Amino acid sequence: MPLPAPAVGLVQDISVPLIQQRGPRAYLNAAVAKVTGGYFLIALSSDRSDVAANLGLLRRAGQISLVLTLASGRKAVLSFAKGPPGDHLLRSAMLAWAR
């Protein structure tokens, strides 16, 4: 029987690596709101300069990471690799937003 997933207490950062592997990170300009126990809404900033910066980072980045604080106080990092399907999805979304 699998163990239950640990509860998330806080989403701390949303970032992308500036270089592959370990290295400096760039943080997306976003707001995080806790909706209800363990559920969060993450929204990227709508400020014109933040939109340009966020989209530039998302275009160049190969992955996106969320730094979480679990209810137990331990930290966790959840990383999403973008890959070719993510590149295609991001390009499609940007074209739709531009209309």
Side-chain angles (χ1 to χ4, degrees):
M1 174 186 271
L3 295 173
V8 175
L10 175 69
V11 177
Q12 288 186 289
D13 295 313
I14 307 158
S15 63
V16 296
L18 294 176
I19 57 175
Q20 294 300 337
Q21 280 92 41
R22 298 189 183 269
R25 305 191 71 74
Y27 296 91
L28 296 170
N29 294 306
V32 178
K34 187 170 188 172
V35 177
T36 186
Y39 291 91
F40 295 84
L41 178 65
I42 301 170
L44 296 177
S45 172
S46 63
D47 179 78
R48 191 175 294 255
S49 63
D50 290 344
V51 168
N54 284 341
L55 290 178
L57 288 170
L58 290 171
R59 277 188 199 108
R60 292 188 308 273
Q63 72 181 42
I64 300 166
S65 296
L66 300 174
V67 179
L68 311 170
T69 299
L70 304 177
S72 66
R74 296 183 69 180
K75 300 234 188 281
V77 177
L78 182 60
S79 292
F80 301 91
K82 192 167 63 171
D87 283 331
H88 176 74
L89 180 67
L90 188 59
R91 277 195 306 276
S92 297
M94 284 189 231
L95 287 172
W97 292 334
R99 292 184 204 156

